[in-house]
Every structure is written in structure tokens, then in C-alpha cells.
């Protein structure tokens, strides 16, 4: 039984972590909100007058904001579609009896451990470069016009690169869920005459539902913040065709030094992420009770 | 498994899964191959590279000579190990007390810690950048150790908490009944049981810190740049650099790839905050 003394000792042991995280959250967050109401540019020093909602107005009515929102949604949605559908199929396949499953799994999850700048540059140069990349060489070998990925289908190219990085994550989590499925349940349904498709639809898929939701939510949190892959491949271009919200805020804050505008964008990004976070937290919180 | 599986079915599975696994792994394999070619050979057609070109290790030497690769490598090493070590130091007592002396608020504290992880980094980029500038820790390893420790602290606390919670309290009571002092109880009973969980936590967080590419890119320039930022410097087109880029990339991802393969299981647990085990 916990005594009073051990309670206060416990509080003392938690406090460094709590104080640090509280500071890490509150200080920058309140500064971002504060800056978002100022006319504040690092290139023009001097007073930073109160600007009301101006920064929000300019940020939200800027045509590049609309483009960035659309790109963010396409990027997140596209990667989710590919990784979740691909992850389910891949997990189902890996769950089958086979030889060398360990080796195959190790190969399949490797992309997740490749740092974002490396995967961006490797895909951009070694694969998608129309002259020297592998895809270019293959197209030439077949007598086709090589595709210039980053000028013809820039956003789709980034979606493909990011999907390559995240497919292992989805696969690994869905495979873990699949392996916890009760084999007897499957055998029973088989004896009752259920085909493999109905076994998948009525037993495996419902069993994986929770894991699928977790994959979607966690990936969304990370995918909203995709940055390095864009920085090293397209710099957000051509034009703003691969600029997502994160990249747009980066441009206005660290390239145009517009602290006020960047902060307004930051507040909007925080609100968007929080909408996703609420659902995720609810899922994880439920698990904590069990 | 009780079901009978025919050999042909098993072969088909192996071939299909093997082909997919190989495709996923191919980009990594390809840069390993290119890193042992000359720049002139590295841009030839794939089949020609495989069949008609010699092997060389000159790119590895060139990467080091051209840009002091080991400085960036040691930056990565110091930043990822430093932030993980510091995070463990702060998280162990917190997770420990939450697991063994749970209070009414423990769950709320845990959920709140998790919520700090949901804050998009770009939302606090400007304040952190300005604070770091004013403190003079922009482009320093100290600055990055602090930031990476803070962004990974919730994951460390959570992982440790889920591991510690699995240590049965009865064993502790039994030790106490046998007359163990608190010190003996911690050293001889708790620590040995907690070490595997702590080791996996360290492993996963070193991986996450090593690959972190938002703060490392935005808060460093030449001096403290870890490998993520160093590799990004190859994004400017400067003629033939495929072999050097490959060599630099292979050295940057090799240690983490190996660590990652050992931590597959912990990865699922750590990144889903215990929601999938």
C-alpha cells in the first residue's frame, strides 16, 4: 500500500518531467500566439506594433495557403491510402506460412529506418532523375520518353517517397495485430465453410480495426509535419505545387523572416493537428483503463 | 499451426512476399552498390553498373576528405545519445513512480504528456528559433540535445511506464517479506527486471533522435549539423555525386538500420504508445 511518504516521494520523482514538458509546451506556445498578433518582421527591426487579426487575415487569404492546404490533404490522404491498403495486404501475406519469414520481414521494414533526407535524395537522384535515374534508364530501354517526376508529377512523387518510408510502419503494426488473432476462431470459421475472403472480411478485418485506426491517427500526426523530404527534393515547387502547410510556415518564418505571419500559420497548424490528436488520445486513453 | 499447408502454397507465399520485401529493400541495396562505384560508373544504366563496372572504395574516402564526414557523424552520435541519456535520467523516476505508486491523476498526467507530442513542431518553430538565438545556442549540439530530449521525453516516459507496469508487485512484496531493504529490493529485484524494457526504450529513442529531420535541419548550420543536415547539403546539384551521396548515405543509415532490426517489436509498442502490442 502506498503511504503518504511514498506519495510525496512519487510526486517529487514526476515533477522534473512535468515541469520540463510544461515549459516546453507553454512557453513557445504562448509566444507563438503572442507573435501572431504582432506586425513583426526580423528584417525590419524596431517596434512590433499590435496587428489584431491582420496576420491571420493575410495568411488565410493568401492563395498559397489554399494550395498548401490542398497539398497537405492530398499528401496525408494519398500516403494513408497507399500505406493502409498496402499494409493490410502486405501483413496478410507475411502472416502466411513461408520460408525465411524473418529475413523477408527485415528487408520489408528497412525503409522506416532510413533518415528522411537520405530517402528524399536517393529517390530524387537514383530513381526519379529522368536522365540518370533507374526509372529513366528503364523508360529509355523500353523506348519511352522518360518521366520527369518532379516537374510533371511533383506531389505524387513526394507521396510515393513518403509512402515508401511509412509502408513498413503500417505493415509492422497490422502484422502484430494479425498475429494476435485467435487461430481457433479462424479454424472454426473454416470448418463452418467460410471462404478465405469472408474470413478476411468478417474475422480478420474487424480484428484489425483498432490497429488500422491507430495507424491512421499516428501517421496523420507525423504526415502533417512532413518537411525534410520536401526540402531536399523540390523546395516546395515548382511554384507551390509541393508546398504543404508545414513548408509554407517554414518559408514565411525562416526564409521571409515574417514572424507575425509565420506564427499565425503556426497557430492554424496547431489547431489542425489537435483535431486529429483528440481522436488519437481518446483511443489510447481507453486502452489505459483496460 | 494445426492446418496443413502444402509445399506449393508455401513456395508461392515465399516468392510473393520475398519479391515484395526485396522491392522495399531495393533502394537501400542500390545505394550500397553505387557507393562502391566511381562517379562515372554510378550514373550508367543499371544493368551495365551491375555487370560491367569495377568496384572501388574511393567514394568513402572522398566523402571524408571533402567535408569532414566524421564531424557530422560524431554530432549525430552525441546528439542522439545525449538526448536519450538525458531523457532517461528524467523519465525513469517519473515512469517508476507512476507505475508503482499510481495516484488518481496518474492517467491524466500520462495523457497530458502524450498530448505535448501532438504539438506540430512548425507551430513552435519561431519561438524556439528566437529563444535559441538569444541564448546563443543556435547551431550547437547542446541546443539540439535539449530539443530532442524534450520532443522524445513523452515517448520515453510512456514506454518505460508500460514496461514497469508489467513488473508484478507481488515479487517486490515477497522480497520485502524475506527481509530485503529498500536498497536491496531496488538493486537485486527491480533493476534486473527493468533492464530489458529500459534497453529497448534507449534503442528506439536513439533511432528516433538520429533520424529526426525537422529541428536538426532548422536549428543547425555548419557547426553542429548532424548527418540529417549534412546529407541535405547534397540536394544542391553539383555535377556527378551519386557515388559520394551513396557512400555518405550508407554510412549515415547503416548503424540505425542494424539497431532498427533488433528493435522491431519495441518499435510497435513505442510508437503506438502501448495501443498495439
Amino acid at each position: 500500500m502506498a503511504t503518504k511518504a511514498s506519495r510525496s516521494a512519487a510526486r517529487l520523482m514526476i515533477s522534473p518531467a512535468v515541469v520540463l514538458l510544461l515549459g516546453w509546451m507553454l512557453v513557445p506556445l504562448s509566444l507563438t500566439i503572442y507573435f501572431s498578433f504582432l506586425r513583426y518582421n526580423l528584417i525590419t527591426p524596431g517596434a512590433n506594433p499590435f496587428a489584431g487579426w491582420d496576420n491571420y487575415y493575410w495568411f488565410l487569404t493568401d492563395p498559397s495557403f489554399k494550395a498548401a492546404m490542398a497539398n497537405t490533404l492530398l499528401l496525408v490522404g494519398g500516403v494513408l491510402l497507399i500505406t493502409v491498403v498496402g499494409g493490410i495486404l502486405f501483413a496478410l501475406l507475411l502472416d502466411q506460412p513461408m520460408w525465411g519469414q524473418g529475413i523477408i520481414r527485415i528487408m520489408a521494414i528497412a525503409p522506416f529506418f532510413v533518415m528522411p533526407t537520405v530517402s528524399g535524395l536517393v529517390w530524387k537522384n537514383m530513381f526519379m532523375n529522368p536522365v540518370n535515374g533507374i526509372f529513366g534508364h528503364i523508360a529509355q530501354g523500353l523506348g519511352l520518353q522518360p518521366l520527369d517526376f518532379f516537374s510533371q508529377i511533383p506531389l505524387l512523387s513526394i507521396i510515393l517517397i513518403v509512402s515508401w518510408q511509412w509502408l513498413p510502419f503500417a505493415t509492422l503494426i497490422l502484422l502484430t495485430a494479425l498475429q494476435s488473432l485467435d487461430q481457433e476462431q479462424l479454424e472454426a470459421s473454416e470448418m463452418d465453410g467460410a471462404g478465405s475472403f469472408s474470413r478476411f472480411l468478417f474475422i480478420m478485418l474487424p480484428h484489425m480495426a483498432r490497429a488500422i485506426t491507430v495507424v491512421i491517427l499516428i501517421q496523420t500526426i507525423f504526415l502533417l509535419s512532413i518537411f525534410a523530404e520536401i526540402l531536399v527534393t523540390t523546395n516546395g515547387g515548382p511554384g507551390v505545387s509541393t508546398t504543404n502547410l508545414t513548408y509554407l510556415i517554414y518559408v514565411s518564418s525562416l526564409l521571409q523572416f515574417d514572424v507575425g505571419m509565420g506564427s499565425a500559420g503556426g497557430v492554424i497548424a496547431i489547431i489542425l493537428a489537435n483535431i486529429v490528436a483528440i481522436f488519437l488520445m481518446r483511443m489510447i486513453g481507453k486502452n489505459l483503463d483496460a | 499451426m494445426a492446418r496443413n499447408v502444402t509445399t506449393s502454397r508455401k513456395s508461392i507465399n515465399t516468392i510473393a512476399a520475398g519479391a515484395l520485401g526485396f522491392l522495399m529493400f531495393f533502394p537501400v541495396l542500390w545505394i550500397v552498390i553505387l557507393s562502391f562505384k566511381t562517379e562515372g560508373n554510378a550514373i550508367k544504366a543499371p544493368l551495365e553498373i551491375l555487370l560491367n563496372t569495377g568496384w572501388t572504395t574511393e567514394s568513402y574516402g572522398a566523402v571524408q576528405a571533402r567535408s569532414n564526414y566524421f564531424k557530422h557523424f560524431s554530432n549525430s552520435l552525441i546528439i542522439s545519445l545525449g538526448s536519450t541519456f538525458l531523457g532517461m535520467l528524467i523519465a525513469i523516476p517519473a515512469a517508476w513512480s507512476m507505475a508503482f505508486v499510481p495516484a488518481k491523476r496518474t492517467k491524466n498526467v500520462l495523457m497530458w504528456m502524450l498530448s505535448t507530442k501532438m504539438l506540430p513542431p512548425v507551430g513552435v518553430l519561431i519561438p524556439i528559433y528566437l529563444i535559441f538565438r538569444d541564448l546563443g545556442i543556435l547551431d550547437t549540439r547542446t541546443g539540439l540535445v535539449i530539443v530532442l530530449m524534450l520532443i522524445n521525453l513523452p515517448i520515453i516516459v510512456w514506454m518505460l511506464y508500460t514496461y514497469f507496469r508489467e513488473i508484478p508487485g507481488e515479487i517486490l512484496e515477497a522480497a520485502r517479506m524475506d527481509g530485503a531493504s529498500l536498497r536491496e529490493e531496488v538493486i537485486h529485484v527491480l533493476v534486473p527486471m527493468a533492464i530489458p524494457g529500459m534497453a529497448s526504450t534507449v534503442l528506439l529513442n536513439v533511432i528516433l533522435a538520429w533520424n529526426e529531420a525537422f529541428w536538426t535541419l532548422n536549428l543547425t548550420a555548419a557547426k553542429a549539423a548532424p548527418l540529417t543536415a549534412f546529407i541535405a547539403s547534397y540536394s544542391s546539384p553539383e555535377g556527378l555525386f551519386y557515388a559520394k551521396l551513396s557512400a555518405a548515405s550508407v554510412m549515415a543509415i547503416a548503424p540505425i538500420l542494424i539497431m532498427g532490426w533488433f528493435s522491431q517489436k519495441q518499435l510497435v509498442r513505442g510508437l503506438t504508445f502501448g495501443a498495439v502490442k
Side-chain angles (χ1 to χ4, degrees):
Chain A
M1 235 13 249
T3 59
K4 220 178 205 162
S6 70
R7 277 263 154 77
S8 54
R11 211 167 293 151
L12 206 67
M13 285 159 87
I14 306 178
S15 47
V18 171
V19 169
L20 278 172
L21 282 175
L22 203 62
W24 167 247
M25 195 162 85
L26 285 184
V27 175
L29 196 59
S30 33
L31 280 174
T32 300
I33 295 171
Y34 171 64
F35 291 153
S36 73
F37 291 106
L38 298 183
R39 189 168 303 132
Y40 183 1
N41 195 307
L42 289 175
I43 317 175
T44 51
N48 303 315
F50 182 71
W53 294 96
D54 277 9
N55 287 320
Y56 289 92
Y57 177 77
W58 293 119
F59 190 83
L60 290 171
T61 54
D62 187 334
S64 44
F65 168 72
K66 224 172 162 185
M69 276 307 287
N71 290 336
T72 307
L73 288 178
L74 283 173
L75 181 58
V76 174
V79 175
L80 281 180
L81 189 72
I82 295 175
T83 53
V84 170
V85 174
I88 291 174
L89 296 177
F90 211 171
L92 283 172
L93 184 59
L94 283 176
D95 195 36
Q96 302 292 315
M98 66 179 70
W99 290 288
Q101 198 200 33
I103 297 270
I104 293 172
R105 199 162 74 173
I106 275 177
M107 290 200 296
I109 64 166
F112 191 72
F113 302 109
V114 176
M115 55 177 64
T117 45
V118 166
S119 57
L121 283 176
V122 166
W123 278 96
K124 176 192 177 186
N125 293 303
M126 283 72 162
F127 288 86
M128 293 172 167
N129 183 303
V131 183
N132 298 325
I134 286 189
F135 295 151
H137 282 297
I138 292 174
Q140 271 171 355
L142 297 172
L144 300 167
Q145 180 71 30
L147 185 65
D148 188 355
F149 282 84
F150 288 105
S151 49
Q152 284 170 282
I153 46 162
L155 190 59
L156 186 59
S157 306
I158 295 198
I159 290 176
L160 290 176
I161 297 174
V162 177
S163 300
W164 177 71
Q165 290 178 282
W166 283 94
L167 182 59
F169 175 78
T171 307
L172 203 55
I173 287 179
L174 296 173
L175 184 62
T176 309
L178 211 50
Q179 281 169 345
S180 69
L181 182 60
D182 187 4
Q183 288 299 328
E184 281 174 19
Q185 205 184 348
L186 277 181
E187 277 163 35
S189 68
E190 209 174 353
M191 279 196 250
D192 289 343
S196 50
F197 182 71
S198 48
R199 276 210 309 270
F200 167 72
L201 202 62
F202 297 113
I203 298 179
M204 291 175 167
L205 208 53
H207 179 79
M208 282 197 286
R210 185 189 160 75
I212 292 172
T213 320
V214 170
V215 166
I216 290 175
L217 292 170
I218 289 176
Q219 282 200 36
T220 306
I221 298 276
F222 282 97
L223 296 175
L224 282 172
S225 299
I226 291 287
F227 172 75
E229 292 86 344
I230 298 174
L231 180 79
V232 298
T233 52
T234 63
N235 269 311
V240 287
S241 57
T242 54
T243 298
N244 67 353
L245 193 55
T246 300
Y247 201 81
L248 182 68
I249 297 166
Y250 158 78
V251 169
S252 55
S253 13
L254 290 195
L255 297 185
Q256 296 166 353
F257 303 106
D258 194 337
V259 171
M261 187 100 120
S263 299
V267 172
I268 290 163
I270 291 171
I271 293 171
L272 277 177
N274 268 311
I275 297 173
V276 183
I278 287 169
F279 288 102
L280 179 58
M281 301 278 291
R282 213 173 277 170
M283 298 268 315
I284 293 169
K286 256 184 214 150
N287 194 57
L288 209 55
D289 293 328
Chain B
M1 202 142 78
R3 275 186 294 167
N4 286 323
V5 181
T6 60
T7 312
S8 68
R9 170 105 187 275
K10 211 168 162 182
S11 321
I12 293 171
N13 289 338
T14 308
I15 291 167
L20 271 171
F22 180 77
L23 273 182
M24 289 297 283
F25 186 65
F26 182 72
V28 176
L29 183 65
W30 191 241
I31 56 172
V32 174
I33 293 172
L34 291 189
S35 72
F36 290 108
K37 301 289 174 185
T38 61
E39 291 295 357
N41 283 333
I43 56 167
K44 291 187 172 154
L47 277 181
E48 206 174 325
I49 292 177
L50 284 178
L51 303 175
N52 294 332
T53 57
W55 303 86
T56 168
T57 53
E58 66 175 32
S59 299
Y60 286 91
V63 166
Q64 165 62 13
R66 176 177 167 272
S67 49
N68 197 1
Y69 181 87
F70 283 103
K71 183 181 84 176
H72 302 294
F73 190 88
S74 58
N75 281 344
S76 271
L77 207 61
I78 290 169
I79 291 165
S80 53
L81 291 181
S83 64
T84 304
F85 178 73
L86 207 59
M88 290 293 283
L89 220 56
I90 295 161
I92 289 174
W96 194 278
S97 64
M98 282 194 278
F100 292 115
V101 197
K104 261 183 234 145
R105 271 172 308 172
T106 298
K107 190 193 157 186
N108 291 336
V109 173
L110 272 168
M111 292 310 286
W112 167 75
M113 283 187 174
L114 182 58
S115 75
T116 66
K117 188 73 197 143
M118 311 289 166
L119 196 66
V122 77
V124 292
L125 171 62
I126 295 175
I128 297 297
Y129 187 87
L130 294 177
I131 291 170
F132 271 43
R133 188 196 60 181
D134 295 344
L135 291 176
I137 50 173
L138 268 183
D139 198 19
T140 62
R141 294 185 290 221
T142 316
L144 276 184
V145 165
I146 294 171
V147 167
L148 292 190
M149 184 274 283
L150 286 167
I151 63 167
N152 284 336
L153 190 56
I155 296 188
I156 302 183
V157 172
W158 261 86
M159 277 187 80
L160 288 176
Y161 170 77
T162 58
Y163 282 116
F164 288 166
R165 217 170 51 150
E166 281 170 11
I167 297 175
E170 292 86 25
I171 292 186
L172 301 183
E173 263 166 50
R176 228 168 290 158
M177 297 244 216
D178 289 344
S181 69
L182 183 65
R183 212 177 68 99
E184 285 168 333
E185 183 188 317
V186 169
I187 294 175
H188 296 297
V189 184
L190 278 177
V191 171
M193 280 195 288
I195 277 179
M198 281 169 24
S200 0
T201 309
V202 167
L203 210 58
L204 179 65
N205 278 279
V206 170
I207 294 172
L208 290 178
W210 185 279
N211 286 345
E212 202 284 333
F214 182 80
W215 294 110
T216 52
L217 286 170
N218 282 314
L219 296 179
T220 62
K223 209 157 45 88
L227 289 167
T228 44
F230 165 68
I231 300 281
S233 72
Y234 274 89
S235 62
S236 54
E238 42 179 280
L240 298 176
F241 58 86
Y242 280 28
K244 285 189 206 70
L245 170 59
S246 299
S249 300
V250 168
M251 287 192 281
I253 64 175
I256 289 310
L257 214 51
I258 293 164
M259 285 174 73
W261 285 333
F262 284 112
S263 67
Q264 289 180 53
K265 283 263 158 58
Q266 290 73 39
L267 184 86
V268 173
R269 186 173 175 148
L271 286 177
T272 60
F273 301 96
V276 176
K277 273 185 207 161

